[in-house]
Amino acid sequence: MSDAKPQTRIQAKNRAAILAAGLDAFSQFGFRGTTLDQIAEAAGLSKPNLLYYFRSKDAIYTALLERLLDTWLDPMRAMDDAGDPVEEIITYARRKLEMSRDFPRESRLFATEILQGAPHIADHLSGDLRALVDAKAVVIRGWIAAGKIAPVDPHHLIFSIWSLTQHYADFDVQVRAVLGKDDWFEDADAHLDTLLRARLRP
């Protein structure tokens, strides 16, 4: 079977179980260290049954990354061109920070793919991701031209937000070790708010 959308409740349940098991395995062992047998066992399915939904390990991995990239783009899509510019950018940063808190495995999986040269999602990065970032850069330039925020390079502002938020997922062990506690979100959110307001205030 191809990776087409399942048509029944059982198919949807099995597909979700495979993706969840794949996320656990890939996040822990990486792409090379993960086997279809591991994923099938964790999903509670036989290997032939798994292959009914996904034709290969690569197909599971790519499906996870594509779903993740789409989820990652949602906060940027939600930025309101007609909203208050400073608040829209800070809200975007906060949503990204929340994703680092709530989806650390997904973030680390994505980071690993990027560090390896993005062999599975290069087309998505130069396609959907680039198009969305370029569109929001136009909006940010408009806000700057209207005097609503301080001059800033839109692309590097977005890169900075990615760095400042995804760090908490990708380097979670280091963050918790240095802080000596697990609960970092409120302090990080307050710091990010202060930092961005000071930089963006016209």
Side-chain angles (χ1 to χ4, degrees):
M1 180 179 177
S2 69
D3 298 339
K5 184 179 179 181
Q7 298 298 311
T8 70
R9 183 178 300 177
I10 294 298
Q11 288 176 321
K13 179 182 177 182
N14 287 343
R15 184 181 174 91
I18 293 167
L19 290 173
L23 176 60
D24 283 340
F26 290 130
S27 297
Q28 184 175 356
F29 304 112
F31 180 78
R32 290 188 179 88
T34 297
T35 67
L36 282 175
D37 289 323
Q38 287 174 316
I39 297 173
E41 182 178 357
L45 300 170
S46 67
K47 185 175 177 180
N49 199 4
L50 180 151
L51 291 171
Y52 175 82
Y53 296 95
F54 294 93
R55 61 184 175 272
S56 65
K57 180 176 74 169
D58 190 275
I60 300 171
Y61 187 74
T62 300
L64 281 167
L65 287 169
E66 289 176 350
R67 185 178 69 173
L68 173 58
L69 182 58
D70 190 56
T71 300
W72 247 231
L73 295 180
D74 283 343
M76 186 177 293
R77 294 188 186 107
M79 289 176 64
D80 185 357
D81 301 0
D84 178 271
V86 173
E87 296 304 325
E88 288 300 320
I89 293 171
I90 289 174
T91 297
Y92 169 62
R94 180 172 296 116
R95 286 172 177 159
K96 290 291 291 178
L97 192 65
E98 288 171 347
M99 294 182 77
S100 286
R101 177 193 63 193
D102 298 337
F103 305 107
R105 294 175 305 163
E106 290 86 343
S107 183
R108 288 192 289 271
L109 182 67
F110 184 76
T112 299
E113 170 71 7
I114 297 301
L115 288 171
Q116 293 174 348
H120 296 84
I121 58 168
D123 290 344
H124 292 279
L125 298 181
S126 59
D128 297 342
L129 177 61
R130 180 176 180 178
L132 180 59
V133 171
D134 285 348
K136 293 305 179 181
V138 170
V139 173
I140 293 170
R141 289 192 186 98
W143 289 338
I144 294 169
K148 295 180 178 180
I149 60 172
V152 61
D153 183 295
H155 286 87
H156 289 287
L157 172 63
I158 292 170
F159 295 158
S160 294
I161 290 172
W162 292 350
S163 299
L164 288 165
T165 56
Q166 289 170 216
H167 171 87
Y168 288 94
D170 301 341
F171 292 87
D172 173 66
V173 173
Q174 175 178 274
V175 169
R176 289 187 286 109
V178 171
L179 292 177
K181 61 179 182 178
D182 294 336
D183 185 11
W184 49 261
F185 181 82
E186 294 299 330
D187 291 341
D189 182 43
H191 171 72
L192 195 57
D193 187 288
T194 300
L195 193 68
L196 288 173
R197 286 187 192 280
R199 178 63 185 90
L200 296 171
R201 189 176 297 117

